[in-house]
């Protein structure tokens, strides 16, 4: 499975590149509209009849932010979104993100078992069967990833390195969970580290077009949420569970970065001819 980024955030030859000022204005509209939509959804949640432990409506704030940004800067957004990659490449990315999430679940669960911490497992949530909760979490993960990895990161990639874009998106994503930072410094620090590690995994494994990136990132985000619930249930911010999750997240992020670095070195090793290099970057050719 290749982790190499073969997509491009550069506009096509017939499309003029948006100015830097317009790019930052687009990002500002996205962030501000996401914050505004999230605030409204937090107010609506208690009146919706939906248990927030089963589905938090605020997860759809980023998707609404994308809608507002698209309506405001449609031409700019269209000129910044990356091009598609092959279906084979997307399949490899999905397999890679599923593998990373399985390791996350195993590592955090093993830490809990070794320490004698109780593991919740597949229990009912908010009066709903666990299977229904799983489906609802997929919707929520997609609502977030439409914004974070679908729009924000690709736009940032047009003006900075991919690693910098991943970090900037990760910081924004973490700070968006503002309520977490009232839970104490240790919990806040562990949560922030976890989110940054997830941002690296989802940010590097998601390649291609808007839809392709959203698909891969949503699956990863969904599986991470499910793994975290299996570990701690509704009490995802409790210690030591959040400490276990942070350590496991850092390990899978380090693994993702290591595999990516090894593949990059292999593709650029001396003696690799142009045809072999092209095949390594785009295995579908």
């Amino acid at each position: 499975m290749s982790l190499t980024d073969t997509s491009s955030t550069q506009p096509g030859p017939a499309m003029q590149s948006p100015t830097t000022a317009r790019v930052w204005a687009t990002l500002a509209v996205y962030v501000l509209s996401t914050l505004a939509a999230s605030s409204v959804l937090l107010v609506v949640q208690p009146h919706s009849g939906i248990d927030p432990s089963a589905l938090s409506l605020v997860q759809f704030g980023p998707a609404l932010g994308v809608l507002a940004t698209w309506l405001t800067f449609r031409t700019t957004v269209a000129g910044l979104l990356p091009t598609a990659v092959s279906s084979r490449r997307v399949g490899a990315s999905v397999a890679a993100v599923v593998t990373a999430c399985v390791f996350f679940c195993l590592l955090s669960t093993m830490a809990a078992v070794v320490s004698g911490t109780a593991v919740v497992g597949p229990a009912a949530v908010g009066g709903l069967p666990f299977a229904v909760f799983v489906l609802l979490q997929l919707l929520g993960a997609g609502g977030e990833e439409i914004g974070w990895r679908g729009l924000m990161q690709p736009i940032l990639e047009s003006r900075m390195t991919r690693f910098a874009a991943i970090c900037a998106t990760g910081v924004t994503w973490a700070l968006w969970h503002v309520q977490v930072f009232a839970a104490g410094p240790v919990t806040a620090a562990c949560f922030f580290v976890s989110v940054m590690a997830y941002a690296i995994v989802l940010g590097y494994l998601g390649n291609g077009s808007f839809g392709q990136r959203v698909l891969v990132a949503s699956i990863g985000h969904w599986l991470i949420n499910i793994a975290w619930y299996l570990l701690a249930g509704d009490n995802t911010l409790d210690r030591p569970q959040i400490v276990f999750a942070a350590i496991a997240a850092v390990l899978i992020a380090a693994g993702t970065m290591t595999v990516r670095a090894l593949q990059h070195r292999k593709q650029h090793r001396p003696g690799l001819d142009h045809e072999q290099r092209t095949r390594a970057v785009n295995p579908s050719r």
Side-chain angles (χ1 to χ4, degrees):
M1 291 178 288
S2 173
L3 305 185
T4 306
D5 178 19
T6 58
S7 61
S8 171
T9 54
Q10 299 302 316
M15 185 175 294
Q16 185 177 2
S17 177
T19 64
T20 298
R22 197 164 182 83
V23 170
W24 290 116
T26 301
L27 283 169
V29 167
Y30 166 70
V31 172
L32 293 175
S33 56
T34 294
L35 292 176
S38 299
S39 299
V40 171
L41 290 172
L42 286 173
V43 174
V44 169
Q45 181 88 55
H47 307 285
S48 66
I50 301 174
D51 191 320
S53 61
L55 178 65
S56 181
L57 295 181
V58 74
Q59 289 182 282
F60 298 100
L64 293 175
V66 170
L67 177 60
T69 306
W70 175 256
L71 293 175
T72 308
F73 290 106
R74 180 177 303 183
T75 303
T76 301
V77 171
L80 292 171
L81 292 180
T83 56
V85 297
S86 68
S87 57
R88 180 179 177 182
R89 175 81 176 109
V90 175
S93 295
V94 169
V97 80
V98 169
T99 300
C101 293
V102 168
F103 274 109
F104 169 75
C105 185
L106 291 175
L107 289 170
S108 55
T109 302
M110 286 173 56
V113 171
V114 170
S115 68
T117 303
V119 176
V120 173
V125 185
L128 297 174
F130 181 72
V132 176
F133 166 74
V134 169
L135 293 176
L136 291 177
Q137 286 300 300
L138 179 57
L139 291 177
E144 287 194 46
E145 292 306 329
I146 286 173
W148 305 128
R149 255 60 61 175
L151 183 76
M152 186 174 187
Q153 183 182 316
I155 290 180
L156 286 170
E157 285 177 21
S158 72
R159 291 300 183 272
M160 58 183 69
T161 66
R162 187 165 200 186
F163 181 73
I166 287 172
C167 289
T169 302
V171 169
T172 308
W173 184 28
L175 295 178
W176 177 68
H177 295 84
V178 62
Q179 72 281 4
V180 174
F181 296 92
V186 174
T187 297
C190 288
F191 180 83
F192 185 84
V193 168
S194 299
V195 170
M196 293 303 295
Y198 301 148
I200 289 173
V201 175
L202 302 180
Y204 273 124
L205 294 182
N207 297 297
S209 65
F210 171 84
Q212 290 172 331
R213 290 187 180 217
V214 170
L215 172 66
V216 174
S218 295
I219 291 173
H221 192 150
W222 172 53
L223 293 177
I224 288 168
N225 284 354
I226 298 302
W228 208 335
Y229 180 84
L230 291 173
L231 174 67
D234 293 337
N235 304 313
T236 53
L237 299 181
D238 282 1
R239 285 188 280 169
Q241 291 92 330
I242 195 168
V243 177
F244 300 152
I247 294 172
V250 168
L251 290 175
I252 63 169
T256 300
M257 294 288 289
T258 300
V259 172
R260 186 174 184 274
L262 291 174
Q263 291 180 337
H264 181 79
R265 181 182 302 176
K266 179 180 179 180
Q267 291 161 8
H268 293 83
R269 70 180 185 269
L272 188 66
D273 61 32
H274 176 73
E275 182 179 353
Q276 290 173 314
R277 187 177 295 108
T278 301
R279 191 179 299 115
V281 171
N282 188 355
S284 65
R285 296 180 64 176

